[in-house]
Amino acid sequence: MNNLIMIFTLVGFIAACTKTTSYTNMNRAPNKKSKIINGHMVIASDSQSKHTVGIYKKGEATCTGVIVSKNTVLTAAHCVDEMKNGKVSFGLQKNNREFREITDYIQHPEYDETVVGLADVPANDLMVLKFKGALPFGFEPAEISNIDIVQDNIEVVLSGFGRDEDNQYDVLKSTTVKVIQTAPYEFRTSEKKSGSCDGDSGGPVFFRNADEKYTLVGSVSRGDMNCNLYGIYENMTYYKNWINDSISRLQVAP
């Protein structure tokens, strides 16, 4: 492990999910400033709104996800506790949302909750879940990039239902951050001014090209405790075959 990773480990890496009882080392601690830090409200005309969903349990937003097929959603493996009796929410307005029951899921078999920072081994913090029913009108799967376009200094777009300054978890927000370090399976972004936090786990990371096309390149995994230094994101191109295989397995599951 190099000196950079050792420094990150001392600072403490925890995930952007709302749970604090399971996978403690992967969770971000509650913070009054927890939210998509300095982000903006996503509106219906924003491209990411048709791909991003909330993961709900007991009527509360707990994680975020991204649609990857007609009845499956990609989210973080450390959100597994939210799957039993959980629901997927579609929509931006609290009083105008549709919900779908989660019926099955596949957690990455090599998920490693002990991995912190941008390590020399993958955390595999991914899970694909299946929901009952069809996609609501206006929603569609995100396109996963076929080639790895993530590199240092490019800007990417984050979306999530993470907790805001009013302690609410169900407002979709978005922000743009810069990639500062990459590995084959994940990447790190600078988030001193803006970034992801509690409840954003599993949320999408998009690359927006000059034509305003959004391509899925990452998924929210973990970051620093106070949500004001950096974020770690799983690389979708690296995991694309596993994602597609999981989607196929869920389609034939009873």
Side-chain angles (χ1 to χ4, degrees):
M1 182 177 291
N2 59 40
N3 292 335
L4 183 61
I5 300 303
M6 291 178 67
I7 292 171
F8 290 162
T9 304
L10 291 173
V11 173
F13 285 78
I14 43 184
C17 193
T18 60
K19 297 291 288 185
T20 56
T21 54
S22 299
Y23 313 130
T24 303
N25 69 306
M26 294 287 287
N27 291 331
R28 278 174 162 147
N31 184 291
K32 291 182 179 179
K33 295 182 179 180
S34 297
K35 55 184 175 179
I36 285 278
I37 306 298
N38 295 323
H40 66 271
M41 300 278 275
V42 175
I43 59 176
S45 60
D46 292 332
S47 294
Q48 64 265 48
S49 68
K50 61 185 178 182
H51 306 307
T52 310
V53 298
I55 308 297
Y56 274 65
K57 188 172 184 180
K58 296 181 180 179
E60 294 184 358
T62 56
C63 286
T64 302
V66 56
I67 304 166
V68 288
S69 84
K70 62 181 181 180
N71 62 351
T72 60
V73 167
L74 179 73
T75 189
H78 71 261
C79 293
V80 66
D81 288 347
E82 317 309 319
M83 298 303 103
K84 187 176 181 180
N85 300 319
K87 295 181 178 181
V88 179
S89 73
F90 301 84
L92 303 177
Q93 302 300 322
K94 296 180 182 179
N95 59 352
N96 189 26
R97 286 185 178 152
E98 294 188 43
F99 291 87
R100 300 288 187 269
E101 177 186 354
I102 296 172
T103 59
D104 200 0
Y105 63 89
I106 298 176
Q107 186 185 45
H108 197 292
E110 297 179 13
Y111 166 53
D112 188 349
E113 65 183 85
T114 67
V115 174
V116 294
L118 195 71
D120 54 2
V121 293
N124 302 308
D125 190 12
L126 293 171
M127 177 166 50
V128 177
L129 63 90
K130 181 180 180 180
F131 59 85
K132 185 177 181 179
L135 284 172
F137 177 79
F139 287 87
E140 62 184 45
E143 179 183 340
I144 302 176
S145 178
N146 288 317
I147 58 174
D148 189 359
I149 58 179
V150 177
Q151 55 185 303
D152 291 358
N153 297 316
I154 72 163
E155 291 188 333
V156 292
V157 180
L158 317 177
S159 298
F161 286 90
R163 179 171 42 173
D164 65 16
E165 62 275 16
D166 297 319
N167 203 33
Q168 299 296 314
Y169 283 89
D170 53 0
V171 176
L172 183 59
K173 292 187 177 181
S174 180
T175 191
T176 300
V177 297
K178 180 178 288 188
V179 175
I180 58 175
Q181 189 180 11
T182 63
Y185 36 82
E186 59 191 20
F187 54 93
R188 183 169 68 97
T189 62
S190 174
E191 302 190 359
K192 294 181 180 180
K193 295 182 180 180
S194 186
S196 61
C197 201
D198 295 17
D200 295 322
S201 287
V205 183
F206 296 105
F207 175 73
R208 180 176 56 204
N209 67 16
D211 296 325
E212 294 296 310
K213 179 181 179 180
Y214 282 69
T215 303
L216 185 66
V217 296
S219 175
V220 179
S221 178
R222 56 201 186 275
D224 69 284
M225 182 176 294
N226 293 318
C227 311
N228 60 7
L229 291 176
Y230 50 81
I232 305 292
Y233 302 91
E234 304 291 36
N235 188 316
M236 292 300 93
T237 304
Y238 179 86
Y239 288 104
K240 186 172 184 177
N241 288 340
W242 178 82
I243 294 169
N244 287 336
D245 179 66
S246 298
I247 293 171
S248 297
R249 289 169 58 193
L250 287 170
Q251 300 312 316
V252 298

